[in-house]
Amino acid sequence: MANREIIGIDCGATKVIAQSATYDSKTGLVSPGEFHHEINYSDHPNWNAKFVPVHLDIQRQEYFERNIDLTEPEMDQGDVIVETIKAVISEIEGFLVQKNISISTSPHFNSPLLQGSKKRIVRNIGLCFPGIKNDCGVLIMANGPRIPNLLERIPEIDTLYNDSDCCVLGEWKSTIGKMQNCNNSVYIGGGTGIADGIILKSELIDFNKRNDVKRSWELEMPSEETIESCLSPKGMIHQWNLSQREKVKTLDQLSKNQNADTIFEKATEAFSFLIQNRTQFFKANHAEIEKIVIGQRLGIFMANSKLISLLESNTDIPFDYSIDRRTAALGAAWKRICS
């Protein structure tokens, strides 16, 4: 396969990030290209900053009963997300036309349903999205609206990749990643939620296909709180804002309050609980963790905070911190080329 340029799109809970990447067929790695574009959902006039997702128990029940009943706020919020993705794709289309980027000849893309420019776009874009998905859209979302018909509404995209997987792939298979050459490692990405990733014996673990390992939002501590609610930046900020008159929006703001020590102590406990769980998983599979990479907003915060010493004192496993926000989009680009 010749070197190619591809676009990865990372759809998060608050924004969409698009990043071009060049694939090197000799190394099997992608490198960031010149195109980078971000749009916040909040830039849309109909974005609902106070949107509350449907309770996960209800979402799971409707999912298993195959009877998803979208609420009106979900549909409105979903519209904003779809329109934001389309706006990003419009920017990408202009870039591809300007650069006259080559089109893949892989049989995977020979769909008679896709013609002209849209076929060109499909061949060059990989998109990752959070939540539980099927071949059509998003069926369960812990931190946003369900969009079960997402692919029907965006014909330029034909596959949805898991955002957690793409976070790991961006760290593992890009030239800016912190997990290059790792055979057994753990990724913990913290933002609105937790992006969990595990590389075991040089294979990326699929949480959907295994019963012996759970995601952070499924793992409960003895307090019956989930790892995600205690360790994610959104979870920590939410705990503070529930009980304090002076509200905060970032972890940096939170860290300046002495009364927030209990929240960070709980985050440390959650982290230790998670690492213990992952260590047991590796041990059961006759392997040892060689590296832990912490990324996204949690990684950026921890790279410059007192949490580092608290966390590193709880384990002998080497740590690294990823502060580059392009990695998930690069992972989506790599997956588009190599899957």
Side-chain angles (χ1 to χ4, degrees), residues 5-10 17-23 28-36 126-128 161 163 165-178 180 322 324-338:
E5 191 156 15
I6 202 87
I7 309 288
I9 300 179
D10 172 24
I17 297 176
Q19 174 65 49
S20 64
T22 302
Y23 176 76
L29 301 178
V30 292
S31 300
E34 63 183 88
F35 179 82
H36 180 87
L127 182 145
C128 64
Y161 303 133
D163 64 331
D165 290 349
C166 289
C167 285
V168 181
L169 288 171
E171 299 291 349
W172 193 26
K173 298 296 185 180
S174 81
T175 55
I176 64 169
K178 300 291 187 178
Q180 293 179 54
S322 175
D324 198 312
R325 297 184 299 113
R326 299 173 293 175
T327 50
L330 289 172
W334 184 92
K335 192 169 179 64
R336 186 58 175 169
I337 295 173
C338 297

